[in-house]
Amino acid sequence: MTTGLQLSEVTKYYAEGSNRIAALAHVSISVEPGEFVAVVGPSGSGKSTFLSIAGALLKASEGEAKLNGHSISKLTAQELADLRLKEVGFIMQSSNLVPYLSVLDQLLIVKKMSGKVSKEDKAFAVKLLEELGLGSKLNSFPEELSGGEKQRTAIARALINNPGIILADEPTASLDTKRAHEVVSLIAHEVRTRRKAAIMVTHDERMLEYCDKVYRMEDGRLFEQ
């Protein structure tokens, strides 16, 4: 079974009045386990649609998207939801933490969504947070964290289900330069040591040094730089 992420000739149309607008046009990309890829491009170039298809949030109009060997187009809505939970870790622009949950519980709630939380799950969550420098913050709430700590919590949460695919959408948008480097170097480290296929959409050219490949998106088309 092929692992990682494969998009093959993916096109996504949206209806606008009686017209069809192609938000993505014949996009093909393959990201292997342990590979960290960046996608750059102006607003409105199709990056969000691309990430939504890569993360099984949207189905392509044409072409095929495969996540860890699963073909998205053939799945029901429930199967897609299960696939997202098990196979995809999302890291968003703002950390999207739940305000009333502690740092540790931000991770355990993801585990609860897929069943009950075992002792092993809790131990793995603690280990992840310690690895990301949050060992002293397990019982802290989001309002007590810095921007960098919130994003590190979000990275740990993306990894808690041990997904095959990590998708980061502008993960440094709300961070200063030092914190931005810290966060992206951590993502890169986790991707390589844990063998995840990872894509980061970014406007931040300074972060490209951490990536194995850089693609540019323009008018719904993807080009390797």
Side-chain angles (χ1 to χ4, degrees):
M1 185 173 91
T2 48
T3 54
L5 179 72
Q6 286 86 31
L7 268 60
S8 171
E9 290 288 320
V10 164
T11 298
K12 180 67 179 174
Y13 296 112
Y14 291 112
E16 231 176 66
S18 57
N19 296 332
R20 273 198 326 179
I21 307 293
L24 288 185
H26 306 290
V27 167
S28 295
I29 187 174
S30 181
V31 187
E32 306 294 320
E35 191 174 28
F36 188 26
V37 163
V39 175
V40 296
S43 293
S45 58
K47 299 191 305 294
S48 298
T49 302
F50 167 74
L51 264 195
S52 296
I53 289 175
L57 289 160
L58 271 183
K59 288 187 182 184
S61 308
E62 293 168 6
E64 183 170 47
K66 275 189 170 178
L67 273 68
N68 263 2
H70 304 279
S71 178
I72 293 175
S73 56
K74 299 183 174 71
L75 301 181
T76 64
Q78 185 56 56
E79 287 168 337
L80 282 175
D82 289 344
L83 182 69
R84 282 195 297 274
L85 188 59
K86 295 191 181 98
E87 294 290 359
V88 187
F90 291 98
I91 305 166
M92 302 303 190
Q93 294 182 24
S94 58
S95 52
N96 282 2
L97 302 179
V98 183
Y100 52 83
L101 290 181
S102 70
V103 165
L104 181 58
D105 284 337
Q106 304 283 344
L107 275 63
L108 297 182
I109 195 167
V110 177
K111 278 286 169 202
K112 278 198 182 107
M113 288 161 73
S114 41
K116 51 186 211 301
V117 180
S118 67
K119 281 211 304 274
E120 290 79 10
D121 292 335
K122 197 165 182 179
F124 181 53
V126 171
K127 181 170 168 281
L128 261 181
L129 290 164
E130 285 173 347
E131 230 177 69
L132 291 167
L134 293 163
S136 62
K137 303 281 183 182
L138 300 183
N139 299 313
S140 301
F141 289 91
E143 64 186 29
E144 303 168 283
L145 303 178
S146 70
E149 287 165 346
K150 285 179 185 168
Q151 277 304 56
R152 281 186 275 152
T153 304
I155 295 169
R157 183 182 58 188
L159 292 164
I160 186 66
N161 270 348
N162 201 16
I165 315 245
I166 299 290
L167 300 176
D169 184 9
E170 299 282 358
T172 61
S174 56
L175 303 176
D176 61 40
T177 301
K178 180 173 178 286
R179 295 286 174 271
H181 279 285
E182 190 183 280
V183 161
V184 177
S185 67
L186 274 172
I187 294 173
H189 173 75
E190 293 296 327
V191 163
R192 292 185 181 116
T193 54
R194 296 185 181 279
R195 305 284 301 151
K196 307 299 178 196
I199 295 176
M200 173 176 68
V201 162
T202 184
H203 277 105
D204 195 340
E205 304 273 333
R206 298 165 304 182
M207 298 304 132
L208 303 181
E209 64 186 82
Y210 297 102
C211 299
D212 301 307
K213 287 181 189 161
V214 179
Y215 291 82
R216 178 167 284 289
M217 189 145 237
E218 277 172 29
D219 300 325
R221 293 182 177 276
L222 194 65
F223 309 93
E224 190 173 348
Q225 292 209 149

